Amino acid sequence: MVQQVKFGEDMKRIKNVRIKDVAEKAEVSTATVSHVINGNKYVSEKIKNKVNTVLRELNYQPNSAARSLRSTKTNTIGLIIPINSEDTSKSFFMSIAEGIEEKLKSKGYNLILSNSKEDSEQELNLIKMFKTKVDGLILAPTNENFKAINETIDHNFQTVMIDRLPVGYKGDYVLVDNFQGTYEGINELIKSGFKKIGFLSSGLGVNTSSDKFEVNKERSNNRMYINPNNERFQAYKVALSDNKLNFNPNYVLFGESSFQSGYDLAKQLISKGVDAIFIANNIMAMGSVKFIQEQKLIIPDGIGMIGYDNYDWTEIISPPLSAIKQPAFEIGVQASELMLNRIQNPTAGFQHIKLKTENLKRSSY
Amino acid sequence: MVQQVKFGEDMKRIKNVRIKDVAEKAEVSTATVSHVINGNKYVSEKIKNKVNTVLRELNYQPNSAARSLRSTKTNTIGLIIPINSEDTSKSFFMSIAEGIEEKLKSKGYNLILSNSKEDSEQELNLIKMFKTKVDGLILAPTNENFKAINETIDHNFQTVMIDRLPVGYKGDYVLVDNFQGTYEGINELIKSGFKKIGFLSSGLGVNTSSDKFEVNKERSNNRMYINPNNERFQAYKVALSDNKLNFNPNYVLFGESSFQSGYDLAKQLISKGVDAIFIANNIMAMGSVKFIQEQKLIIPDGIGMIGYDNYDWTEIISPPLSAIKQPAFEIGVQASELMLNRIQNPTAGFQHIKLKTENLKRSSY
DNA sequence: ACCATCAAGTTAATCGATTAACTGATGATG
DNA sequence: CATCATCAGTTAATCGATTAACTTGATGGT
């Protein structure tokens, strides 16, 4: 029932096949067609076959607006990731998105992708806009305005947080155990004989400066960390302390997430006499490596290094850089699973997933 | 008018505010509210203010399913990209997606992202599914089944192709001038004194093997290339010929897009005596570099190299790798612009955009 | 033979916003 | 003063699928 309709001058536009067209051609009611499609009421084999034949003949595709309107399900999930163009996190979050899309597609869901650019105002706008467009939201929250987010996300909305956690958030989430990986990494540096270990990272988010150096004695497992960078920093301090090494605030530098900043801060650390550097951020690691190479410092004899996340380049520099690898794709898969479960069963208890990092020992320590 | 509704056990669910609720509270008709929101009919200042106040008070958000159903606009654009997990193209297409999302968001549109995984069957399913969900489709088509795609994309659907082009496709597209960049790159290698230049690439798609080595005399501008890899290959041949160098089929290797394949094929080329390699693909370039480094070959004295696309790693290996850079983000921006234009004016003439690559001369030739 | 039950479809209300057609009031015009 | 245009807002049809409630005919137990 592909109808031709006049449109503009002489242009023709094909009107979509409706369920009514199918019903008429198959000589049944629209209800029956719907039942055949959705399989939620018994329909005899004979009629089912007839309808299915017509469905194929007309190449029918249900109008999803109508469907959503009536059923209040959009079969769509929103994803908000926070990437600045210059940022290291791009590839990390894109792998997460890939994992989400793959899982969702297999269950008949779609993914709407959006970028908050690490800006909490944009984030709130996006959340608001998503309200009537999606069945659920997977969110890597920005570092500010947690309260506002908590208010905006009401019970109309299934939510799964990833990578970071708003304080006081009650709900499903998938995080990476950044403490564990970092702790092990620092430990290994120490085992290899390094004693003056520098720590390089991008910012901790909003509540950074005041308590930046307040040592937290508890371990990751019992605590809810706001932010992966902070978690890594805590792990760094605990690992030092567990190895009876002094924590030296001069060996810790936070800067913006850029190549240049990595270059500059590595320079500073070296001038302060560190013998190894842990870099909690990919693009800063690149900047640091550049500086080290320019200085003709020998890795690992002159200086030890560990980076974060297993980017391509870590394998082909010489020597290959050891790294802590986050399971990005897997975060996406797990987050979608939580989401789909919650949609199916909204009253179930909240699920908290913490994925392990992988410690890739290469030749840089 | 936030209503509490019983839901399950004791759980409460907040029902969304409808336009009717707004109308009642503002003591006007739903039509008036709609006019205020969409501004397509004159409403007096007085009433407009009253309505706007209520809109804010109730934090009203239009139900987009209802809106789409009535207006037949979804305000959503679909994007299908073709990435295999192992593939080099991941970062390229993700940057395109970023550009698209940014542009669309600024115009009030959403982006549904999906991955065909370079599989034409999945691609067709996605296209079909998108039919009632989006106003338009931005597509980087797979290499097979062009005919099927052309049939499936009917006039219900605005389409913009990116990166690749189905033969015979009539419509908007945004491509990269791969010929130009490659041609210049090869030329520069030759100018630097290299004479036996190898060419490494991933496959050409379906119609590869038969005419793989058939030299095409025409230039890019007058020709419609199916596939960027092919375009690069053509440019390679033309550049050789323009420099009176013989084309040696033994110096050309196509393989799968993987690190290992890059490693292996570089090995083969070297053993065949090439003095420079042009690698049309990021991950294969990584593999090649790995092999070169292992062999302690000196770049560029021992061997010249040019890679494709400006990935992070190309800057920090020593020496930094020269590369042809595609304007990925810009492809996304331009494609979205074409799309939005076409939605506004469906009968306008088709637009064809071909973006220039950037030639990043570093120290590898 | 009688009524209850079930099986297999159908009828029609419904979701929420848009928008063509309409109403009533005001004002301009010859 | 009758007539018509314009203005500002309202009424109600409509988009297409889902689904609760209903119909109709068949089955079966006592």
Side-chain angles (χ1 to χ4, degrees):
Chain A
M1 190 61 54
V2 174
Q3 298 172 345
Q4 302 280 331
V5 175
K6 287 279 174 193
F7 187 80
E9 276 300 333
D10 208 29
M11 178 164 175
K12 301 193 178 180
R13 217 146 218 277
I14 297 161
K15 204 162 181 284
N16 267 331
V17 179
R18 296 154 309 168
I19 201 170
K20 201 180 158 204
D21 303 320
V22 176
E24 277 166 15
K25 183 152 186 193
E27 299 171 300
V28 296
S29 70
T30 63
T32 300
V33 177
S34 175
H35 295 147
V36 170
I37 292 171
N38 300 300
N40 39 17
K41 252 198 158 185
Y42 182 82
V43 179
S44 68
E45 278 304 310
K46 201 177 119 194
I47 300 257
K48 212 190 285 185
N49 286 336
K50 189 155 63 163
V51 171
N52 277 324
T53 307
V54 175
L55 285 175
R56 235 171 295 115
E57 277 175 20
L58 300 185
N59 193 25
Y60 171 73
Q61 189 71 17
N63 178 308
S64 57
R67 197 175 238 192
S68 300
L69 177 57
R70 184 59 229 259
S71 65
T72 70
K73 312 221 118 292
T74 62
N75 271 32
T76 300
I77 301 297
L79 169 65
I80 301 179
I81 57 182
I83 59 183
N84 304 316
S85 48
E86 184 59 63
D87 203 338
T88 171
S89 50
K90 186 159 152 178
S91 142
F92 174 65
F93 284 115
M94 285 306 192
S95 292
I96 294 180
E98 216 186 323
I100 293 175
E101 195 270 336
E102 174 144 341
K103 186 79 197 178
L104 290 183
K105 187 168 54 190
S106 75
K107 304 290 180 178
Y109 276 75
N110 290 116
L111 172 68
I112 294 190
L113 177 67
S114 220
N115 183 7
S116 68
K117 296 187 155 190
E118 205 73 87
D119 173 325
S120 55
E121 195 185 339
Q122 284 200 51
E123 181 178 52
L124 285 175
N125 285 336
L126 288 173
I127 292 174
K128 193 175 174 196
M129 182 225 61
F130 273 145
K131 245 174 197 182
T132 70
K133 294 205 166 238
V134 301
D135 297 334
L137 175 64
I138 299 177
L139 176 61
T142 60
N143 286 314
E144 306 171 40
N145 271 14
F146 287 151
K147 243 180 275 177
I149 291 177
N150 274 324
E151 275 163 29
T152 304
I153 300 177
D154 59 32
H155 300 289
N156 269 309
F157 226 72
Q158 305 301 350
T159 310
V160 173
M161 296 280 175
I162 52 174
D163 188 50
R164 311 156 175 189
L165 223 47
V167 264
Y169 167 74
K170 300 273 174 236
D172 300 310
Y173 61 76
V174 180
L175 300 180
V176 170
D177 190 346
N178 287 288
F179 190 99
Q180 170 79 9
T182 306
Y183 184 86
E184 284 173 16
I186 301 290
N187 253 332
E188 299 232 14
L189 279 177
I190 297 171
K191 264 191 233 155
S192 300
F194 299 103
K195 293 207 155 49
K196 294 148 81 177
I197 299 169
F199 182 89
L200 225 55
S201 172
S202 54
L204 292 179
V206 91
N207 35 5
T208 299
S209 37
S210 64
D211 64 342
K212 190 152 72 180
F213 295 128
E214 178 207 318
V215 176
N216 186 309
K217 304 267 165 17
E218 299 175 75
R219 294 308 171 82
S220 159
N221 296 335
N222 315 316
R223 247 186 126 265
M224 186 169 285
Y225 286 89
I226 291 170
N227 172 310
N229 285 326
N230 185 42
E231 198 171 28
R232 289 168 202 161
F233 178 51
Q234 300 297 333
Y236 164 75
K237 289 187 293 187
V238 173
L240 290 184
S241 148
D242 286 359
N243 284 280
K244 319 279 183 226
L245 286 179
N246 282 335
F247 167 62
N248 181 345
N250 287 323
Y251 290 173
V252 175
L253 293 176
F254 289 88
E256 74 167 35
S257 181
S258 72
F259 189 92
Q260 190 59 45
S261 151
Y263 184 96
D264 295 340
L265 297 185
K267 190 174 186 174
Q268 281 186 42
L269 280 182
I270 300 281
S271 75
K272 287 174 176 171
V274 302
D275 58 8
I277 312 183
F278 182 95
I279 308 147
N281 167 317
N282 175 64
I283 199 158
M284 294 176 86
M286 285 181 46
S288 303
V289 165
K290 184 77 175 177
F291 176 76
I292 304 286
Q293 286 182 344
E294 281 183 12
Q295 299 301 302
K296 313 264 186 219
L297 288 168
I298 308 296
I299 302 174
D301 298 330
I303 185 144
M305 290 186 85
I306 299 185
Y308 222 91
D309 279 336
N310 182 36
Y311 285 81
D312 297 337
W313 63 270
T314 54
E315 280 190 70
I316 55 165
I317 61 168
S318 27
L321 185 68
S322 301
I324 316 291
K325 180 187 176 188
Q326 300 190 83
F329 189 90
E330 187 63 16
I331 296 175
V333 172
Q334 299 266 354
S336 337
E337 244 161 42
L338 290 196
M339 178 57 80
L340 296 171
N341 287 342
R342 178 141 311 283
I343 286 171
Q344 269 210 317
N345 184 1
T347 57
F350 292 128
Q351 293 212 55
H352 303 327
I353 293 183
K354 207 155 195 181
L355 298 173
K356 291 262 167 279
T357 54
E358 194 182 342
N359 216 321
L360 300 166
K361 166 96 173 92
R362 293 204 267 251
S363 320
S364 64
Y365 66 85
Chain B
M1 190 61 53
V2 174
Q3 298 175 343
Q4 302 281 330
V5 176
K6 288 281 174 191
F7 188 80
E9 277 298 332
D10 207 29
M11 177 163 175
K12 300 190 178 182
R13 221 149 216 275
I14 297 163
K15 202 162 183 279
N16 269 330
V17 180
R18 298 155 307 169
I19 201 170
K20 202 180 158 204
D21 303 320
V22 176
E24 278 166 13
K25 183 151 184 191
E27 297 172 300
V28 296
S29 71
T30 63
T32 301
V33 177
S34 174
H35 294 146
V36 170
I37 292 171
N38 299 302
N40 38 16
K41 251 200 159 183
Y42 182 81
V43 179
S44 69
E45 278 304 309
K46 204 177 115 190
I47 299 256
K48 211 190 282 184
N49 286 334
K50 191 153 66 163
V51 170
N52 278 323
T53 308
V54 175
L55 284 176
R56 235 171 295 116
E57 278 174 21
L58 299 185
N59 193 26
Y60 171 74
Q61 190 70 18
N63 179 306
S64 58
R67 197 174 240 193
S68 301
L69 176 57
R70 186 55 231 260
S71 66
T72 68
K73 314 219 117 291
T74 62
N75 270 30
T76 300
I77 302 298
L79 169 66
I80 302 179
I81 57 182
I83 60 184
N84 304 316
S85 49
E86 186 58 64
D87 203 336
T88 173
S89 51
K90 186 160 155 178
S91 145
F92 174 65
F93 285 114
M94 286 305 191
S95 291
I96 294 180
E98 218 185 323
I100 294 176
E101 196 270 337
E102 175 144 338
K103 186 79 196 176
L104 290 183
K105 188 167 54 188
S106 75
K107 303 290 182 181
Y109 276 74
N110 290 117
L111 172 67
I112 294 189
L113 176 67
S114 222
N115 183 6
S116 68
K117 296 186 156 193
E118 205 73 84
D119 173 326
S120 55
E121 196 185 340
Q122 284 199 52
E123 182 177 52
L124 284 176
N125 285 336
L126 288 173
I127 292 174
K128 193 174 173 196
M129 183 224 60
F130 272 144
K131 246 177 196 179
T132 70
K133 294 206 166 232
V134 301
D135 297 334
L137 175 63
I138 300 176
L139 176 62
T142 60
N143 286 314
E144 306 173 38
N145 270 15
F146 288 150
K147 243 179 273 177
I149 291 177
N150 274 325
E151 275 163 30
T152 305
I153 299 175
D154 58 33
H155 299 288
N156 267 310
F157 226 71
Q158 305 301 349
T159 309
V160 174
M161 296 280 174
I162 53 174
D163 189 51
R164 309 158 176 189
L165 224 47
V167 263
Y169 166 73
K170 300 272 173 236
D172 299 311
Y173 61 75
V174 180
L175 299 180
V176 171
D177 189 346
N178 286 288
F179 189 98
Q180 171 78 9
T182 305
Y183 184 86
E184 285 173 15
I186 300 289
N187 253 332
E188 300 233 12
L189 279 177
I190 296 172
K191 264 191 235 153
S192 298
F194 297 104
K195 295 206 154 49
K196 294 148 80 177
I197 300 169
F199 183 89
L200 226 54
S201 172
S202 53
L204 294 180
V206 93
N207 34 4
T208 298
S209 36
S210 62
D211 64 341
K212 190 153 73 180
F213 296 127
E214 175 205 318
V215 176
N216 186 311
K217 301 266 164 20
E218 299 175 76
R219 292 307 167 84
S220 162
N221 297 333
N222 317 316
R223 246 186 127 264
M224 187 169 286
Y225 285 90
I226 289 168
N227 173 309
N229 285 326
N230 185 43
E231 198 171 26
R232 290 168 201 160
F233 178 51
Q234 299 297 333
Y236 164 76
K237 287 186 292 187
V238 175
L240 289 184
S241 146
D242 285 359
N243 285 278
K244 321 276 184 226
L245 287 179
N246 281 335
F247 167 62
N248 181 345
N250 287 322
Y251 290 172
V252 175
L253 293 176
F254 288 89
E256 75 168 34
S257 181
S258 73
F259 190 93
Q260 190 58 46
S261 150
Y263 183 96
D264 294 341
L265 298 185
K267 191 175 186 172
Q268 282 187 42
L269 281 182
I270 299 282
S271 76
K272 287 175 177 171
V274 303
D275 57 9
I277 312 182
F278 183 94
I279 308 146
N281 167 316
N282 176 63
I283 200 158
M284 293 175 89
M286 286 182 45
S288 303
V289 166
K290 183 78 176 178
F291 175 76
I292 304 286
Q293 286 182 345
E294 280 184 12
Q295 299 301 303
K296 312 265 186 221
L297 287 168
I298 308 297
I299 303 174
D301 299 331
I303 185 143
M305 289 186 87
I306 300 187
Y308 223 90
D309 279 336
N310 182 35
Y311 285 82
D312 298 338
W313 65 269
T314 54
E315 281 190 69
I316 56 167
I317 60 167
S318 25
L321 185 67
S322 302
I324 315 291
K325 181 188 175 188
Q326 301 188 84
F329 189 90
E330 188 63 17
I331 296 175
V333 172
Q334 301 265 356
S336 333
E337 244 160 42
L338 291 197
M339 179 55 80
L340 296 171
N341 287 344
R342 177 139 312 282
I343 286 172
Q344 269 208 318
N345 184 1
T347 57
F350 293 128
Q351 294 211 52
H352 303 328
I353 294 181
K354 207 154 194 182
L355 299 173
K356 289 261 167 282
T357 54
E358 195 182 341
N359 216 321
L360 299 165
K361 163 96 173 95
R362 292 204 271 251
S363 320
S364 63
Y365 66 85

